[in-house]
């Protein structure tokens, strides 16, 4: 069941222009691509003069400057004849280490994911003259909490419903030099009262969200476009927005052979 569909043309590494994507996991874990490999991240206290064939990424809170530990950073590394994907978890000091084959790398895309901070992308492209640094400090912005409820055709709460969000086509990610905020598809699952929350969206991204709710036993809700519904944007921030599911019809029959 897909809440937010996209095409392969929106892959920021292959097409250069991201767009709305399908939610692919729970609110706290929504990888854009399957992990094929994982870089080692057992090196704490990396210095600015680290090896030229690696990137040390340090995550800190923009408002306090304190390290952000435990954040997941997904990567896609595009070389001339190979593409590597995987994820790294930030150490207690907020550091992640990525080996960089500088003689063959063409593009590097990093995606930070952690509750309470806005999803942030780092994008380096060799074809536009970018240089991947040996060390980079990323200041993570506090996310805007959003939430609401999912109800059925009778107005009753629906537990276990999927609420998915993405952003419409936007060149921000492809044009990142190197940072950008974007929502590349993720979802939350409602609790017993039909309520859900998300805390991974940057303030400037909220207006561009589009989303819907779905459940296997109900008809999918109408699509919400925040840009065209100012009241919905306010309700999302207040945690009061309601997705209405439709009543499903059960069809029964049999298949008869020739």
């Amino acid at each position: 069941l897909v809440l937010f569909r996209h095409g392969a043309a929106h892959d920021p590494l292959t097409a250069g222009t991201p767009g709305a994507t399908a939610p692919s996991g729970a609110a706290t874990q929504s990888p854009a691509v399957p992990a094929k490999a994982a870089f080692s991240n057992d090196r704490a206290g990396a210095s600015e003069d680290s090896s030229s064939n690696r990137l040390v990424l340090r995550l800190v809170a923009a408002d306090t400057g304190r390290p952000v530990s435990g954040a997941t950073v997904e990567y896609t590394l595009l070389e001339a004849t190979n593409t590597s994907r995987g994820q790294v978890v930030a150490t207690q000091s907020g550091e992640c280490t990525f080996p960089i084959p500088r003689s063959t790398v063409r593009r590097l895309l990093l995606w930070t994911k952690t509750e309470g901070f806005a999803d942030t992308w780092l994008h380096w492209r060799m074809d536009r003259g970018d240089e991947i640094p040996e060390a980079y400090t990323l200041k993570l912005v506090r996310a805007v909490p959003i939430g609401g409820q999912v109800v059925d055709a009778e107005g009753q709460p629906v537990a276990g419903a999927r609420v998915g969000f993405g952003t419409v086509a936007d060149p921000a990610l492809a044009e990142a030099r190197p940072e950008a905020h974007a929502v590349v598809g993720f979802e939350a699952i409602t609790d017993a009262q039909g309520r859900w929350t998300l805390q991974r969206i940057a303030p400037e991204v909220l207006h561009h969200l589009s989303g819907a709710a779905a459940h296997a036993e109900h008809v999918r809700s109408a699509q919400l476009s925040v840009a065209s519904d100012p009241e919905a944007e306010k309700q999302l921030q207040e945690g009061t927005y309601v997705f209405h599911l439709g009543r499903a019809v059960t069809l029964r029959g049999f298949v008869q052979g020739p």
Side-chain angles (χ1 to χ4, degrees):
L1 182 63
V2 177
L3 297 184
F4 214 86
R5 185 180 300 277
H6 78 298
H10 291 306
D11 185 333
L13 284 185
T14 59
T17 302
T21 67
S24 51
T28 57
Q29 188 76 331
S30 54
V33 291
K36 295 183 178 179
F39 288 148
S40 172
N41 194 37
D42 56 4
R43 179 178 175 273
S47 63
E48 293 293 322
D49 60 351
S50 55
S51 168
S52 62
N53 283 327
R54 88 176 100 210
L55 162 64
V56 178
L57 178 67
R58 183 167 183 262
L59 306 178
V60 300
D63 53 355
T64 66
R66 295 178 179 175
V68 178
S69 62
T72 297
V73 181
E74 298 221 355
Y75 67 85
T76 302
L77 177 70
L78 180 67
E79 300 177 73
T81 60
N82 182 54
T83 299
S84 302
R85 296 181 174 92
Q87 65 181 30
V88 170
V89 177
T91 64
Q92 193 67 31
S93 59
E95 291 184 350
C96 303
T97 302
F98 303 89
I100 305 297
R102 297 186 184 274
S103 62
T104 58
V105 63
R106 295 294 181 266
R107 297 190 190 187
L108 175 64
L109 185 69
L110 304 180
W111 174 18
T112 69
K113 300 184 299 181
T114 184
E115 281 292 298
F117 292 94
D119 280 26
T120 305
W121 296 75
L122 296 171
H123 193 186
W124 286 278
R125 294 173 46 181
M126 307 305 102
D127 63 345
R128 66 183 181 188
D130 295 349
E131 293 186 7
I132 301 173
E134 296 176 0
Y136 191 94
T137 298
L138 177 61
K139 297 179 180 180
L140 295 178
V141 176
R142 299 284 176 179
V144 175
I146 65 171
Q149 188 179 32
V150 178
V151 301
D152 62 18
E154 283 72 43
Q156 297 303 307
V158 178
R162 297 167 54 205
V163 178
F165 284 97
T167 49
V168 295
D170 185 339
L173 180 53
E175 298 305 318
R177 289 182 175 266
E179 298 179 23
H181 290 136
V183 175
V184 187
F186 52 63
E187 66 183 37
I189 306 299
T190 59
D191 62 17
Q193 288 73 46
R195 299 199 172 277
W196 60 273
T197 59
L198 282 171
Q199 296 189 60
R200 286 175 46 195
I201 299 170
E204 70 273 18
V205 173
L206 178 59
H207 185 69
H208 302 285
L209 287 182
S210 184
H215 189 279
E217 298 177 2
H218 302 270
V219 174
R220 180 183 182 276
S221 75
Q223 191 80 18
L224 166 66
S225 176
V226 177
S228 59
D229 192 342
E231 184 61 25
E233 181 173 353
K234 178 182 177 182
Q235 292 173 353
L236 285 171
Q237 293 185 73
E238 294 173 345
T240 60
Y241 185 82
V242 179
F243 282 108
H244 295 269
L245 301 180
R247 183 179 291 104
V249 177
T250 301
L251 300 178
R252 294 184 176 88
F254 64 92
V255 176
Q256 183 175 343

